Amino acid sequence: MTSSPRLGASSYSPADQSGFASIDAVTAALGSAGYISTPSISTALYLAHHLRKPVLVEGPAGVGKTDMAVCISKALSYPLLRLQCYEGLDESKALYEWQYGKQLLYTQVLKDKINHLIGDADSIEASLAKLSGFRDLFFSREFLAPRPVLKAMEQEGGSVLLIDEIDKSDEAFEALLLEVLADYQVTIPEIGTIQAQIPPLVILTSNNTRELGDALKRRCLHLHVGFPDADREQQIVRARVPDIGGSLLKQMVDFVQSLREQDIRKLPSISETVDWARTLLLMHAEALDPNLVRSTLSVLLKRQTDVISLDGKLDSLTHAAMTGSGSAA
Amino acid sequence: MERALTRFIRALRSAGADVSSTEAIDAARTVALVGYADREVMKTSLSMVLAKSEEEKVLHDHLFDVFFKTVDAAPRREQQDDPNADSAEGEDNSNLMPGQGESPGQGSDDSESQALSDNTPTDETGGDPDADQIGRFLALASNKNPAQVAMALQKAATAVGADEIRFASQTGYFVRRMLEQLGVEALERRLLEKLDDPSPASQAQAQELIDARMAVQQQARAHIKQRYEVFGRSATENFMNETIANRSIDQLEYRDLERMKFIVARMAKRLAVRHSRKRRIRNRGRLDIGRTLRASAANDWVPVDLIWRYKRKDRPKIVAICDVSGSVASYVRFLLLFLHTLRDEVSDVDTFAFSNKLHDVGDILARLSPEAAMDRIVDVAGSGSTDYGQALAELQESYFDTIDRRTTVIMLGDGRSNHSDPRLDIVQEIADRAKRLVWLCPEPPMRWGTGDSCMLRYEPLITKLYHCATAADLERAVDDVMLAYD
């Protein structure tokens, strides 16, 4: 198996290699941080690291897209830099910003000194010539406030850059991002170009509220994370809520799985299942029963219309989960 | 392996998943990285690099399974040490055998060729070029070496350009070309000689040759069929879809409904994508002085942050009023199907149906499936003779507040009102209140104004009047409607 020639001059330190040595190594690393991974997730991260491409993770809310980034950074001890997107996000919040206040303050403080320095210049040209030397001082790194993307480029030793909910941003921001992700460098007109020594592992998450631009989609690896199957969900809940009993866990997960097949507007995702597990634990429940389910249903279903529409089927679903006969239609 | 990957990507492209050149290069790097030893890993990796949306992923998985069929492990290992003449192509380094014919087809040939293999072909050797070809052909027919047979078929198919197949009707042509490539002409010459010779030995040999030819023909056909599955089927689908999209709606039959649903869904999706841009545009030409000054308060009134004026875009709001009476019966199904799909894509749609009384059918379209909704709507609203005036009056009475300055009102109908009062005054009021009034008429312009049609009387009051006879027309009209909101 030949390895691909890596573009660019950067080389990876041995410490990084261990986590990404193989797809199984990635799964193990995620597991050590408490994240139950699937083959596709591990493959995506493995490819992202070795091919040096960003990963676009799409899927319903609450299935662990953000968590994945958090856990991989924890497992491999990379710093995590997080950028939450919203409409109107521009480069001053994403890349860098000049600290105008600080600059103005310094000029005020140094006003006397500046006067003294150009005091002996008697024409405007001479004064300007003297001043032009100072311009660079006030636009130096000291007055630059780096934002997550720039910080990610500056990390030595690699980092994980999480760009959350990119579908909430607008097209202008996507264009900005494309530029940065193409060469992993940021150009600041006054200072120069800052190139990432070790390119960060970039993870973009999207809830699919709008179609992302084609250019961005083509640039990234595309990973779809859906709702888990029963086994994986049990593993996840057990990892997050270790004290839960085995039989209750199985009944719970069966119930949630059957709920997902119903015709409701907002399907419960893993985070809701975990919350429900904690709730049931708090109530010292040993097994499911219809009253318990009815009283705690709002933890699972966040929309009142869904709760109402399921009213008739609730008991039959609960009984099916209790007896472990699989999902009732 | 690169050849196989290139062909796979070509298959993906012809099936509708646009794979760009960059992605193709990335795919090659991916395969070099993960190797092709593990089929699942390769499938997942390629799907991440080549398929960038859910539909594309489904397509990719399906094509991957069809394209890369695994050979049985046992014969594979036997051939492993066999120095294959075609090893230069590098295709036998993998467990995956691209482009092989379907196993059932080969299975039946196997039993047939078992009988053949007992009578080893008695070909005349020595100096006869035909003999070599016939010998090879018979070897193919006997199928003793499946991997080699597959290789030979593969080469022949590529040589005749079988990847270009687009329609099922081209199968026969490609099969014949493949056979010619494999040397069937030499066989046929020999066959004619044998048939002319009345001796029993010759007759037996002739029969052998006929059987051999049929065996290879079957194999070739299976191979070409698989190529069609991969490369041609989606082209046929697209062609059918285009035809239906451009056929006049009243000529569509009920059995086209499935295809119609697909087209309409695709249409609605295209419209939604095109018009789903965010609703605030920054009008960079003009400075918003007030906001700029307010923002500069922290900077001692030095305006370092310039704030520009922005225009707020209205969200599209559509009120659709659909004539469901007998005169437009054939169009009704299609239009209702379209409305049903539109509701999924545009959030703010109010729908009404009328023939002589107006009914709000939004609830029905939301609750029921398209077919059930259509039937129900025609039941509820479709009886009675058309009366535009009364319907418009009811609209004014009960539903006028749904029409405001950001609404586009779409009337779908032929304007034929059985000589009743067309209530032009209400139409005028609608046109004034709403952002636009758009009329989609299934009749061609030369029929407007004939008989009881009031189209010409409505025409001056309407913002835009479209003649919509095909699905493509409908899409254009709705696109225009949505453009007004950009």
Side-chain angles (χ1 to χ4, degrees), chain B residues 46 85 140 206 232 260 299 313 340 348 359 442 463:
Chain B
L46 279 182
L140 278 182
M260 249 323 176
N299 301 330
K313 256 201 303 193
H340 192 280
D348 221 341
H359 297 266
T463 318

Side-chain angles (χ1 to χ4, degrees), chain B residues 362-376:
Chain B
D363 199 33
I364 302 178
L365 284 174
R367 274 188 296 119
L368 301 176
S369 76
E371 295 91 345
M374 280 188 246
D375 291 330
R376 183 111 181 82

Side-chain angles (χ1 to χ4, degrees), chain A residues 1-2 23 40 43-44 46-47 50-51 53 87 100 104 171 210-211 217-218 220-224, chain B residues 18 23 26 29-30 32-34 41 44-45 48-49 51-52 54 56-57 273 277-278 280 299 304:
Chain A
M1 197 190 311
T2 58
I23 299 182
S40 355
T43 313
Y46 177 77
L47 287 178
H50 287 281
L51 295 179
K53 289 181 86 66
E87 199 195 334
Y100 303 115
L104 283 175
E171 288 164 4
R210 75 169 172 98
E211 283 280 319
K217 278 201 355 203
R218 299 281 158 206
C220 306
L221 297 172
H222 186 271
L223 171 65
H224 177 82
Chain B
D18 297 321
E23 289 171 325
D26 288 333
R29 288 173 63 201
T30 310
L33 180 65
V34 301
V41 167
T44 321
S45 313
M48 266 174 223
V49 177
K52 298 291 168 72
E54 278 207 64
E56 285 187 18
K57 279 205 184 325
V273 164
R277 308 176 54 209
K278 290 293 175 171
R280 245 177 67 161
N299 301 330
V304 287

